[in-house]
Structures are given as C-alpha cells and as structure tokens.
Amino acid sequence: WTVCLIDCFVSIASCFIEIPEEIRLLVDCMNMITMGCMHAQQDVEIQDIKKNGYQGPNPAIAGMLPPLQQSMMQQGKPSAMGGMGGPAQQYGQPTGAPIEVQCGNCRQVFGAPQRGMQIQCPFCQTANMT
C-alpha cells in the first residue's frame, strides 16, 4: 500500500508543484520492485501447484468471503485432478465457441464464454446463469 500511496501523492502533488524527475524515477523504481516481488510470489505458487496439484482454496480464507462469493465457490465441482472444475485451462488455446445468453431482465442477447457460470449483463448489469 505504501508504494501506491506514494505514487498517488506524487501524482497529485505534481498538479500543484514542480516534482523533480528524480522523484518520479524513484517512485517508478519502487513500483517495479513491488511488481517484481509480486510476480516472484505468483511464480512460486504456480510451481507449487504444478508439483503438488491444486487443492482448492483454503477453507479458513473461504469462510471469510462474503456469502455470494461463498455460494459461487460451492457451485464449483471438484475434479479428479483436485481443485475445482476439471483440468487446468491452457491459456492461448480456444475453449470452444461462446454461447449466447439472453438477459432475464432487459432481454438483450450477449455472449458468454461457457455454460454453467454466472455472468453479468453488459447492458443492465443483472446477474444471469448460463
């Protein structure tokens, strides 16, 4: 949070005073360092999942989610490989043709990536099941 707040402070302050280029570069370096650490943490998690398989979300964390998100998680189906929903999706590979959904509220038709999911209508923001 600190880096984000510093970045916002420098951006707002630059509207009123001249901020030296060195300060802006220092804030950019802080942002890049933070993003690099986040990327490294995600890589460690991905490598662990590849090694041990995905075991689903931590029940203690899932219990702290709002009720709507908890119900969405409960609708998932555990797969034989562990985790939710089946084999891991390979990014960059097609997942099949999108399906058409008609909104139950405004009756507009829009596309959804797959069946069996809740998707928000882009026209009226109503949640619809596919």
Side-chain angles (χ1 to χ4, degrees):
W1 286 99
T2 304
V3 175
C4 180
L5 292 175
I6 291 171
D7 194 9
C8 290
F9 174 77
V10 169
S11 295
I12 293 170
S14 68
C15 294
F16 303 104
I17 61 173
E18 184 70 29
I19 301 293
E21 186 66 20
E22 291 82 5
I23 299 291
R24 291 181 185 272
L25 293 174
L26 181 63
V27 171
D28 285 344
C29 285
M30 292 169 59
N31 274 319
M32 295 301 132
I33 289 169
T34 302
M35 287 183 212
C37 288
M38 290 168 40
H39 179 74
Q41 289 172 345
Q42 289 177 349
D43 184 59
V44 168
E45 290 293 323
I46 290 170
Q47 296 307 320
D48 183 61
I49 289 170
K50 285 181 179 178
K51 178 181 170 189
N52 301 321
Y54 181 63
Q55 304 301 318
N58 183 333
I61 294 173
M64 290 189 257
L65 293 173
L68 178 61
Q69 289 180 328
Q70 288 183 19
S71 68
M72 289 168 51
M73 287 176 56
Q74 291 169 355
Q75 290 175 5
K77 298 175 183 72
S79 71
M81 299 176 69
M84 305 297 280
Q89 176 181 345
Q90 297 296 315
Y91 292 101
Q93 294 181 354
T95 58
I99 61 166
E100 286 189 352
V101 178
Q102 184 177 25
C103 178
N105 184 42
C106 70
R107 297 296 197 215
Q108 293 283 341
V109 177
F110 58 94
Q114 64 187 27
R115 295 195 182 281
M117 63 184 296
Q118 187 173 19
I119 190 163
Q120 190 173 19
C121 174
F123 304 101
C124 71
Q125 315 318 311
T126 300
N128 294 276
M129 287 300 293
T130 59

